[in-house]
Amino acid sequence: MCEAGIVDDVDYFLSGHVGGVIGLGEVAVMDGGFLASSKFDIAIEGRPAHAGNAPQQGNNALMAMMLQGIPRHADGVTRVSVGTLHAGEGRNVIPAHAKLQMEVRGETKEVNEFMKEYVYDIFAGVDKAYRVKSKVELAGESTTLMQCPAIYDKVEEVMKKIPGIKVLPRIHTPSGSEDCALFIRRVIERGGQAGFILYGCNHHGHHRPNFEIQDEQSLPIALSIYTGFAELVNGIGGKVK
């Protein structure tokens, strides 16, 4: 979408996320953070055989995943995650097929590129070591949060006018990744202003079955920030530099 140019003429771009490291009634501007990330879809083809009386005739696709061999990097935070894995044909058959969805993340673009290249190298080595054939497809990528100081004061000006909320100091925690970072970078690089906000909720951790957002309270706060910012930058109720 970014490469298609849909935000190339955008003057202001504001995005955000519920929850994160702040609670209900709290809001904050993010002025840095997010891990660059690369997403992979990987398919491994081996050869089936009877696991009991002819294991030497098989090539085990399930065992051919040596992602623990990706080293970490001293220049920044790193992450490796395998989110899905589907493999095998039966309990007594050498697995002939495996598919997985995974990602790597790095605190900087350079650290993430280091991790990304290791994914390709490891599966090239796995093919030879386990006598399988792997197909590694890059399914998506994201980047770090590019800073745009020009927009932060505007957003916080809007936040401070919303009754009953607490504006926290700016946040730059690098633990997660965010697709909006691609849009933000594209807008800023073409002369626009872009930023990212957090509007809190009381939750038990993201991506969990008991995640809560108190939507009747938290989402109206977010809407007030977005609509207030739109009014501000369009000169409704105040001038914008």
Side-chain angles (χ1 to χ4, degrees):
M1 292 173 68
C2 289
E3 291 177 358
I6 65 170
V7 294
D8 284 3
D9 298 320
V10 168
D11 296 317
Y12 298 99
F13 183 95
L14 185 62
S15 51
H17 197 290
V18 66
V21 295
I22 64 177
L24 184 63
E26 298 175 335
V27 296
V29 168
M30 286 195 66
D31 62 354
F34 296 144
L35 303 176
S37 66
S38 298
K39 327 291 185 182
F40 295 96
D41 292 335
I42 300 170
I44 305 170
E45 182 180 349
R47 185 171 62 174
H50 194 286
N53 61 27
Q56 76 282 358
Q57 296 177 6
N59 302 124
N60 196 317
L62 179 56
M63 296 297 293
M65 289 178 287
M66 304 298 292
L67 293 170
Q68 68 270 24
I70 300 177
R72 303 305 182 258
H73 203 293
D75 290 344
V77 173
T78 59
R79 299 284 191 275
V80 179
S81 173
V82 177
T84 69
L85 172 61
H86 305 278
E89 290 72 38
R91 71 177 69 248
N92 65 337
V93 181
I94 299 295
H97 301 91
K99 292 184 178 180
L100 64 148
Q101 294 176 310
M102 62 157 298
E103 67 173 11
V104 294
R105 299 186 183 191
E107 190 169 349
T108 66
K109 179 181 179 181
E110 292 74 21
V111 170
N112 186 67
E113 285 295 316
F114 172 84
M115 307 283 285
K116 174 182 174 182
E117 290 304 314
Y118 257 95
V119 173
Y120 290 112
D121 290 345
I122 281 177
F123 281 100
V126 158
D127 284 359
K128 185 173 180 62
Y130 286 84
R131 299 178 181 179
V132 297
K133 294 180 180 179
S134 62
K135 182 179 180 182
V136 180
E137 293 185 328
L138 183 65
E141 291 191 287
S142 190
T143 187
T144 54
L145 181 60
M146 192 172 184
Q147 292 187 336
C148 183
I151 202 172
Y152 301 153
D153 289 340
K154 298 182 181 70
V155 177
E156 289 172 341
E157 177 183 341
V158 171
M159 289 176 168
K160 291 174 182 177
K161 293 180 180 178
I162 301 174
I165 68 169
K166 182 179 180 180
V167 181
L168 299 181
R170 296 170 187 173
I171 294 172
H172 39 269
T173 306
S175 58
S177 294
E178 177 56 62
D179 292 343
C180 278
L182 292 169
F183 289 106
I184 289 170
R185 182 173 293 274
R186 185 88 173 193
V187 170
I188 295 172
E189 288 178 343
R190 282 156 179 76
Q193 296 180 23
F196 195 89
I197 64 171
L198 290 177
Y199 44 98
C201 67
N202 299 330
H203 61 89
H204 308 289
H206 287 285
H207 299 191
R208 292 170 55 91
N210 60 347
F211 178 64
E212 297 180 48
I213 64 172
Q214 297 85 46
D215 51 345
E216 293 184 354
Q217 297 165 274
S218 61
L219 298 186
I221 293 173
L223 181 62
S224 295
I225 297 172
Y226 291 130
T227 56
F229 182 80
E231 291 175 350
L232 178 65
V233 298
N234 281 284
I236 301 173
K239 295 183 178 179
V240 179
K241 296 182 178 179

